[in-house]
Every structure is written in structure tokens, then in C-alpha cells.
Amino acid sequence: DTEVTQTPKHLVMGMTNKKSLKCEQHMGHRAMYWYKQKAKKPPELMFVYSYEKLSINESVPSRFSPECPNSSLLNLHLHALQPEDSALYLCASSHSGMGNYEQYFGPGTRLTVT
Amino acid sequence: SQQGEEDPQALSIQEGENATMNCSYKTSINNLQWYRQNSGRGLVHLILIRSNEREKHSGRLRVTLDTSKKSSSLLITASRAADTASYFCATDGSGGANSKLTFGKGITLSVRP
């Protein structure tokens, strides 16, 4: 199984809402990533979990809160977002946290903040 | 900071023609990767080439790497309409255990049937 799944596919939320994005992989990968992608731009790294520990936080605002409950699951908790946070949020996984391995991406969650 | 820079920004070709996309980067790397993204979807890994490799093939894809010029090219031969997508190069920056991928701005490829 070489699939990374993400739910939901689409999410519309108000600025006062709290919601969560979910990501799952069953490839035995020990590194998982959250990226944010705006239209016609490359993905921007937000967080890296390596062996279930947060190893990289790219100075992401605290209204984004990642969580890695186990080696297969990755969540991104959202609270008090701004309209400029509207984007495609991509989850990815790889064999380890090093850049030496290809990353497998999920289909993304299209987030709209109203 | 963005590492890879693709060229051209957009490419439009006829089905059956070859498509060549270039990527330049600034610092030393351990490897360079190419990814494809269909509109609004997740990225798909195409090929990884290590810094000690000069050329790699995968099906209709051919990737070259010139570390002296800090550049790579992706050649798609006999293109198909289904190859229409955005293509990104990504470099790892030769960091340590936490080296991350940094993506270039991307190239939009349109293959006309």
C-alpha cells in the first residue's frame, strides 16, 4: 500500500472555528510532513515529524498545531485561522526524516477560511 | 529560501514531442528530485538522482544532473496529453539528519492533443 490518505478533501471554516486535518499512511514510513500550497506556488514546508517527534517547525503561527498520535497518523489542528490561510494542505511521508528519500504525498485538503 | 529554480516557467508542446525542463540550484546537495502535480492534487514523485550520478532513466523520463553547474534537466520523451501537469524539482541542501526538501517554483507543461 503506497497511499497517503487525507481527510477531509475540502473544508470551509470560519475564523472562530476549530477543525482538524487528518493524514494516514501504512507504508511503515517514520517521517511525516505538512505542507501548505497556495495557487500556482510550490509547496511550503510547515512541520516535519521524525519517529513521532516534531523535528522541524518552519516558524508556523501557533494557530496551526500538529500532532502525531502514532507512526501512521498525523493531524493538523486549526484554530482562529485567517482568510490568508486558505490553501491546499498536503501531507507527505517518507522512509525517514532525511531528504535522501522520496516523499509520498496525499491528495491534499482544500481549505477555505471565511 | 528557495533552492531550485525551474526553467522555463511554462511550456506548451504537441503530443508526441519531447519536453525538456531545467532546474538550477544554489548550494551543495545530496540529491535532487523531480515531482509532478496534476491540477489541485498531491505531488507524485518521478525520480531521484544522487549527487554522484549524472544521468538516470525511468520509462519515458530522463534526468541529468551537473553538479559543477548546479543544474538538472528533466526530459519527457514522446509526450502525451496525460503529461499535462506542473513539474517541480526539489533539493535536499546536503543538510544533516533533518535535511528537508526545498521545492522550486515549478514548470507548467501543457501537451496539446
Side-chain angles (χ1 to χ4, degrees), chain A residues 37 42 58 99-100 102-103 106, chain B residues 2 31 35 37 42 99-100 104:
Chain A
Q37 187 179 28
E58 290 288 278
N100 280 335
E102 59 266 37
Q103 294 185 14
Chain B
Q2 225 149 42
N31 67 69
Y35 288 81
Q37 184 177 33
S99 62
K100 59 185 184 183

Side-chain angles (χ1 to χ4, degrees), chain A residues 1-113:
Chain A
D1 181 4
T2 58
E3 192 181 22
V4 175
T5 58
Q6 288 187 246
T7 55
K9 285 187 168 45
H10 300 274
L11 179 61
V12 179
M13 61 185 289
M15 289 189 283
T16 58
N17 290 158
K18 282 186 183 179
K19 296 286 184 184
S20 296
L21 309 185
K22 296 185 184 302
C23 174
E24 192 166 4
Q25 58 89 13
H26 294 288
M27 293 177 277
H29 288 170
R30 302 315 300 268
M32 295 186 78
Y33 311 79
W34 280 115
Y35 289 88
K36 174 184 176 180
Q37 187 179 28
K38 300 284 262 186
K40 300 191 186 304
K41 297 288 186 184
E44 294 177 11
L45 184 66
M46 300 175 72
F47 302 104
V48 180
Y49 272 84
S50 181
Y51 292 86
E52 298 156 56
K53 290 190 184 343
L54 184 64
S55 61
I56 294 178
N57 176 341
E58 290 288 278
S59 303
V60 178
S62 60
R63 57 186 185 268
F64 295 92
S65 175
E67 179 196 17
C68 189
N70 59 55
S71 60
S72 300
L73 292 173
L74 186 65
N75 298 321
L76 186 63
H77 302 297
L78 315 172
H79 174 53
L81 295 193
Q82 304 296 309
E84 59 264 29
D85 296 323
S86 298
L88 182 68
Y89 287 84
L90 294 164
C91 173
S93 70
S94 68
H95 183 270
S96 78
M98 298 181 69
N100 280 335
Y101 296 95
E102 59 266 37
Q103 294 185 14
Y104 291 77
F105 283 79
T109 294
R110 176 75 59 189
L111 174 67
T112 303
V113 181

Side-chain angles (χ1 to χ4, degrees), chain B residues 24-96:
Chain B
S24 59
Y25 56 92
K26 295 191 174 82
T27 63
S28 298
I29 61 171
N30 287 320
N31 67 69
L32 183 143
Q33 304 184 36
W34 285 91
Y35 288 81
R36 183 188 77 228
Q37 184 177 33
N38 291 89
S39 181
R41 304 296 303 271
L43 281 73
V44 174
H45 180 263
L46 296 176
I47 203 160
L48 181 153
I49 186 165
R50 302 199 186 280
S51 58
N52 61 353
E53 297 175 310
R54 291 295 165 257
E55 188 171 313
K56 210 159 178 184
H57 297 255
S58 176
R60 293 184 295 114
L61 306 181
R62 173 178 168 253
V63 167
T64 62
L65 179 64
D66 186 335
T67 52
S68 66
K69 294 182 180 176
K70 292 188 168 59
S71 68
S72 171
S73 68
L74 170 66
L75 168 67
I76 303 175
T77 59
S79 64
R80 304 166 182 168
D83 294 326
T84 294
S86 294
Y87 291 82
F88 295 93
C89 68
T91 52
D92 73 326
S94 71

